[in-house]
């Protein structure tokens, strides 16, 4: 990890794929309301809710990059908003809803973990977990080499 | 032997799959609830150019019509009218859209039909209306403004439309309930074309 590039290290400290998928889901959800912008601001129209849900999903994705420690909360809210976005935005033709659910789930499942790196004389590295939480079984480890 | 502690991001599989399952369960529940009585909230239909609306009879209350400019499949700015109706009941609604299969010369038609439809808060942008219209308390109001959509409006307390064929580009419904709705796809020889005066 200490030899990894700057982008890789930045990516490793936050739920990168979850946040990216959430951001894409937000854009997909916004597609229909953007086409209906002329209607969205008509008095009494509910079309603005499409803007609201799509915009909030994009904000959740952005916040997951900036505050990775709250990724679980952002993930839960993303899933909730993606499902609701069927109202007023058709969920980005449902594709946005599905992308939002997967992106949100990735954010929920993401966590930061301390690992100790042992460097042998041969230069090879072994990692072992410093903390072994109950739900650690079957984790997908981000590349730590 | 040197030891150092490094922070590494991981995705906990158990939590990930639990969240996915919960998400799709909630999604399925929402689709099931709305699907049982075919009711949709804040339902937009647009961004795909011209599509056709045919109906036997429409009874509407609180009708407003105003000039509008919007995009069609062929043009970014085309003259239209915007119909806004507060409450609508439709008998025998048929909405269809013709699409060419990508990379082929074949055309298909996607049909949505429903014998009985009720809508709250209908907004529709139409390029062409071919129908029998009947109004109660019709009033045409004009105002001196540079905003062309507010130059004149046509308002009526009630409207009845029979035997209608409407070329539509946008449709938005705050609440729509489609009883006995059917969606079907069929092959067609050539797409529908309908221009003013035809």
């Amino acid at each position: 990890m200490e030899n990894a590039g700057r982008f890789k290290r930045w990516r490793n400290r936050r739920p990168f794929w979850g946040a990216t998928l959430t951001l894409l889901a937000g854009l997909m959800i916004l597609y229909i309301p953007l086409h209906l912008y002329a209607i969205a601001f008509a008095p009494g129209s509910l079309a603005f809710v499409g803007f609201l849900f799509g915009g909030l999903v994009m904000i959740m994705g952005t916040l997951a990059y900036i505050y990775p420690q709250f990724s679980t909360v952002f993930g839960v809210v993303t899933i909730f908003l993606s499902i609701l976005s069927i109202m007023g935005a058709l969920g980005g033709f449902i594709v946005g809803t599905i992308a939002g659910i997967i992106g949100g789930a990735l954010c929920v499942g993401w966590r930061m973990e301390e690992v100790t790196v042992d460097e042998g004389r041969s230069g090879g590295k072994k990692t072992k977990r410093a903390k072994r939480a109950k739900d650690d079984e079957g984790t997908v480890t981000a590349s730590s080499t | 032997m040197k030891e150092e502690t490094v922070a590494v991001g991981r995705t906990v599989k158990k939590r990930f799959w639990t969240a996915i399952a919960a998400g799709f369960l909630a999604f399925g529940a929402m689709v099931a609830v709305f699907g049982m009585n075919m009711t949709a909230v804040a339902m937009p239909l647009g961004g795909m150019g011209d599509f056709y609306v045919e109906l036997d009879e429409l009874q509407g209350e609180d009708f407003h019509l105003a000039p509008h400019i919007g995009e069609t499949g062929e043009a970014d700015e085309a003259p239209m009218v915007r119909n806004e109706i507060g409450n609508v009941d439709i008998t025998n609604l048929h909405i269809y859209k013709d699409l060419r299969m990508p990379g082929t010369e074949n055309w298909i038609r996607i049909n949505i039909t429903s014998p009985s439809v009720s809508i709250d808060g209908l907004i529709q942008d139409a390029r062409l209306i071919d129908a029998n219209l009947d109004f109660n308390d019709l009033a045409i109001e004009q105002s001196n403004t540079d905003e062309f959509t507010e130059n004149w409006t046509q308002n009526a307390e009630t409207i009845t439309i029979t035997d209608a064929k409407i070329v539509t580009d946008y449709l938005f419904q705050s609440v729509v309930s489609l009883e006995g709705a059917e969606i079907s796809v069929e092959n067609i020889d050539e797409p529908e074309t309908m221009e003013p005066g035809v």
Side-chain angles (χ1 to χ4, degrees), chain A residues 1-3 8 11 31 37 45 47 49 52-53 56 60-61 69 71 84 88 99 107 112 119 128 135 141:
Chain A
M1 180 56 65
E2 65 275 15
N3 301 328
K8 197 170 178 181
R11 202 180 67 184
Y31 175 82
Y37 68 94
S45 161
V49 299
L52 189 71
F53 291 142
L56 282 171
M60 287 299 132
Q69 64 271 39
S71 68
L84 280 185
C107 287
M112 202 70 168
E119 284 196 43
K128 63 181 182 191
D135 57 358
T141 312

Side-chain angles (χ1 to χ4, degrees), chain B residues 98-146:
Chain B
D98 297 342
L99 295 168
R100 192 160 77 176
M101 296 298 284
T104 67
E105 292 296 310
N106 301 329
W107 287 83
I108 58 162
R109 175 169 295 172
I110 300 168
N111 298 293
I112 302 170
T113 58
S114 173
S116 175
V117 180
S118 63
I119 301 168
D120 286 343
L122 171 72
I123 300 173
Q124 183 205 40
D125 289 350
R127 209 165 54 79
L128 189 63
I129 299 172
D130 182 3
N132 302 318
L133 300 162
D134 188 3
F135 300 100
N136 272 346
D137 290 330
L138 176 67
I140 295 177
E141 293 174 12
Q142 298 179 357
S143 55
N144 186 9
T145 168
D146 291 336

Side-chain angles (χ1 to χ4, degrees), chain B residues 172-190:
Chain B
F172 180 82
Q173 298 121 130
S174 294
V175 182
V176 57
S177 169
L178 299 142
E179 282 181 30
E182 287 182 9
I183 299 172
S184 60
V185 181
E186 60 180 326
N187 286 309
I188 52 170
D189 293 333
E190 55 183 24

Side-chain angles (χ1 to χ4, degrees), chain A residues 1-2 12 32 35-36 38-39 42 44-47 49 72 79 83 86-88 90 94 97-98 101-102 105-106 108-119 128-129 135 138-142 144, chain B residues 1-17 19-20 22-24 26-27 30-31 34 41-48 68-69 71 82 84 123-125 170-175:
Chain A
M1 180 56 65
E2 65 275 15
N12 192 58
I32 289 179
H35 268 80
L36 296 169
I39 291 176
S45 161
L46 272 172
V49 299
T72 303
I79 292 170
I83 294 165
I86 292 169
M87 294 191 289
L90 269 185
I94 310 297
T97 295
I98 291 166
I101 292 172
I102 296 168
L106 282 168
V108 170
W110 187 88
R111 55 184 280 190
M112 202 70 168
E113 217 174 57
E114 299 276 313
V115 296
T116 52
V117 180
D118 295 345
E119 284 196 43
K128 63 181 182 191
R129 286 181 210 144
D135 57 358
T139 55
V140 182
T141 312
S144 57
Chain B
M1 186 74 82
K2 194 172 71 175
E3 273 202 6
E4 66 170 305
T5 308
V6 184
V8 176
R10 297 172 184 271
T11 301
V12 181
K13 268 189 180 177
K14 199 171 166 184
R15 281 169 64 175
F16 170 72
W17 288 113
I20 282 262
F24 279 106
F27 179 41
M30 187 168 164
V31 170
F34 283 123
V41 180
M43 183 77 174
L45 198 61
M48 58 186 183
H68 182 69
I69 287 182
E71 65 165 330
R82 168 159 296 178
E84 294 183 28
I123 300 173
Q124 183 205 40
D125 289 350
Y170 282 126
L171 204 57
F172 180 82
Q173 298 121 130
S174 294
V175 182

Side-chain angles (χ1 to χ4, degrees), chain A residues 7-45:
Chain A
F7 174 67
K8 197 170 178 181
R9 271 186 290 177
W10 178 86
R11 202 180 67 184
N12 192 58
R13 291 202 192 97
R14 62 209 70 241
F16 178 76
W17 293 114
T20 306
L21 207 56
T22 300
L23 215 54
L24 287 173
L27 285 171
M28 289 180 217
I29 291 166
L30 276 176
Y31 175 82
I32 289 179
L34 284 173
H35 268 80
L36 296 169
Y37 68 94
I39 291 176
F41 302 109
S45 161

